[in-house]
Amino acid sequence: MSTATAEADLTVQTAEGPVRGKTAGGTRTWRGIPYAAPPIGELRLRLPRPPAPWRDVLDATDFGPWAPQRTRRLLGGASPGTPRSENCLTINVTAPMQPSGDPLPVLVFFHGGAFTSGSGAMGIADGSGLSAGGNVVLVSMNYRLGALGFMDFRPYSTPERTFDVNVGLADQIAALEWVRRNIAAFGGDPGNVTIFGESAGAMSALTLMCIPSAAGLFHRAFLQSPAPSSAYGPELASGFASELLGLLGVGSGGAAEALAEIPANALVDAATQLSKKIIPDAYPGALSFAPVVDGSFLPLHPIDAFEQGRAAAVPMVIGTMENEGTLFEKLDDVLPTNQARIEKMFELTAPGLRDQVIAGYRGYPHKKQAVEIGGDAVFWHPSIQVAQAHAEHAATWSYRFDYAPRTARVAGLGATHGLDLAAVFGTYDSGPGKNLVRLGNKRTAANVAHRFQSALLRFARTGAPGPMWPKYDQTSRRTKIFDRYDRIELDPRASRRKAWDGYRGWR
């Protein structure tokens, strides 16, 4: 490709204006493109608005600032020098170096981070290898987080100042609408869009399947460790909002004015205190920041929507890690991974089911079983609920990711929450991914990553993750196990699955 041609290929005309990218990692990239108006001033805590058009070529060579959040190095989170701003609604595109004659499949990634942290710019989720090796167009974005994106302040609205709910999810829909308008200009096929994500990113994708206004914006979903029960009605959500305002020293009378003026850093500090120090013990198993079942934008709890056949009937892959809870017990203590929290969780959500569930964990209340209960309550069991419900209405595949590099095993983490990010993006050569293989196993990790990536790429191209991976159903419950050697298991953890029967969590 000549220099002139390469430069021309890097300037793309979008519906809003021209953008110029750069080459990086063997791909063409465009970073930090506004997909919505800055959510500041009068637009703080309001639904996203369309971006203002521009005439001059926009420099799209660097990532936009991350949403306001605390410094969090875990799995490549924000460092002290990471730019952060409320003006964060930007989108990134990565495409293969050589343009294709035919439109390419589009993968849209939603980052995780408990709806309080993360960014589309996280190094562990660098999409250059996935795009170049898979011949796909990869999209990532930033969306509003924490109190600014996933808290219900509607009860504090006044005639002068109105607040909306689920604005972080609405940001994601605005990003998908941008993809529909613009991705063809980057070589992508707007008629073949796969949404995928990990943790809160997977929960985002799963929730979008249940939001009417997102219908038709995507065609497949690949969900890595979602927390499907982590969506709450207005009563619980407004209680969390009241707790946050209390931490800020704000009374209900002046809340509207305060919410309009409080610095983002103060909101982040209060949100961190709420999510780390208060909610885990007061409401074990609940997350401080999560989608709100408001009855209109999100009409039903996601699990209810799947069970009633009202979720988008698109092909879906859903799975969890073998040891979801260990990350939280050792590094991020927010789950019910100890006896006190577990007992309180059942007392507040389903006291009549406590003995039934505990019977599935021989050895409880020993730490190992307590940690397993915490991970299963938030991630594994509700994911099984979604898989078995969706399988009645659309093609569904289930997996469990069991592979853990030696570093993770030595640390006592095993195949824990988030370790599949390095696998799906193939980023074992840098940052947190490199640390995972510093004690060896690099070749094995790369082999597992290749198989996991290949399943995602086949799914994006064809709507099925591969011929050696049978669909999930409520009879055989065939599940793909990703490990040093992959295998198919029938109804893995069957006795444990039955032990959770009837549990509904914080709904």
Side-chain angles (χ1 to χ4, degrees), residues 7 10-12 18-22 29-30 57-61:
E7 290 176 351
L10 295 176
T11 298
V12 173
V19 299
R20 181 174 55 247
K22 65 179 181 181
T29 66
W30 297 265
V57 177
L58 178 73
D59 182 357
T61 56

Side-chain angles (χ1 to χ4, degrees), residues 183-465:
I183 205 63
F186 297 86
D189 182 358
N192 183 5
V193 175
T194 298
I195 57 175
F196 76 116
E198 185 272 337
S199 192
M203 182 58 186
S204 295
L206 183 149
T207 305
L208 292 176
M209 296 176 68
C210 308
I211 296 176
S213 58
L217 294 175
F218 56 89
H219 311 93
R220 301 168 177 81
F222 192 100
L223 312 176
Q224 300 169 236
S225 297
S229 62
S230 299
Y232 313 118
E235 183 177 354
L236 188 59
S238 63
F240 292 170
S242 177
E243 292 268 11
L244 183 87
L245 290 174
L247 292 170
L248 291 164
V250 174
S252 59
E257 294 77 9
L259 287 169
E261 302 295 337
I262 292 173
N265 286 343
L267 287 170
V268 169
D269 290 343
T272 300
Q273 187 175 352
L274 180 70
S275 61
K276 303 296 181 183
K277 304 296 184 182
I278 296 176
I279 300 303
D281 291 314
Y283 301 88
L287 301 181
S288 307
F289 303 97
V292 177
V293 185
D294 63 346
S296 54
F297 180 84
L298 180 56
L300 295 171
H301 190 284
I303 294 178
D304 293 335
F306 278 97
E307 290 179 344
Q308 296 177 28
R310 295 177 64 179
V314 299
M316 180 186 75
V317 173
I318 185 169
T320 56
M321 304 296 291
E322 181 184 26
N323 311 112
E324 290 282 1
T326 53
L327 176 81
F328 301 93
E329 188 268 332
K330 292 183 178 297
L331 301 174
D332 195 14
D333 186 25
V334 296
L335 295 192
T337 54
N338 60 56
Q339 184 180 9
R341 287 182 183 172
I342 289 168
E343 297 298 333
K344 188 170 185 178
M345 178 183 74
F346 285 114
E347 176 188 341
L348 295 176
T349 60
L353 291 177
R354 183 264 184 204
D355 292 347
Q356 172 186 304
V357 176
I358 295 302
Y361 297 83
R362 294 185 61 184
Y364 175 82
H366 291 166
K367 182 166 69 173
K368 179 179 184 296
Q369 287 75 29
V371 171
E372 289 174 344
I373 288 172
D376 289 355
V378 175
F379 299 106
W380 177 72
H381 169 248
S383 292
I384 293 297
Q385 289 178 296
V386 168
Q388 64 189 17
H390 197 59
E392 295 294 303
H393 305 282
T396 302
W397 292 265
S398 175
Y399 76 85
R400 194 179 73 217
F401 196 97
D402 284 17
Y403 177 71
R406 185 175 293 120
T407 303
R409 297 198 304 272
V410 169
L413 294 168
T416 196
H417 189 75
L419 295 196
D420 53 342
L421 274 173
V424 80
F425 284 101
T427 48
Y428 284 117
D429 292 324
S430 61
K434 188 174 183 178
N435 290 334
L436 290 173
V437 293
R438 63 187 175 88
L439 296 182
N441 294 145
K442 185 174 181 179
R443 179 176 295 178
T444 301
N447 287 337
V448 176
H450 174 72
R451 297 195 300 273
F452 197 49
Q453 272 191 358
S454 296
L456 170 62
L457 292 168
R458 282 193 298 267
F459 184 64
R461 292 192 195 99
T462 69

Side-chain angles (χ1 to χ4, degrees), residues 171-191:
D171 292 343
Q172 296 167 359
I173 292 175
L176 289 172
E177 290 171 338
W178 184 94
V179 169
R180 182 171 60 184
R181 290 195 306 272
N182 292 303
I183 205 63
F186 297 86
D189 182 358

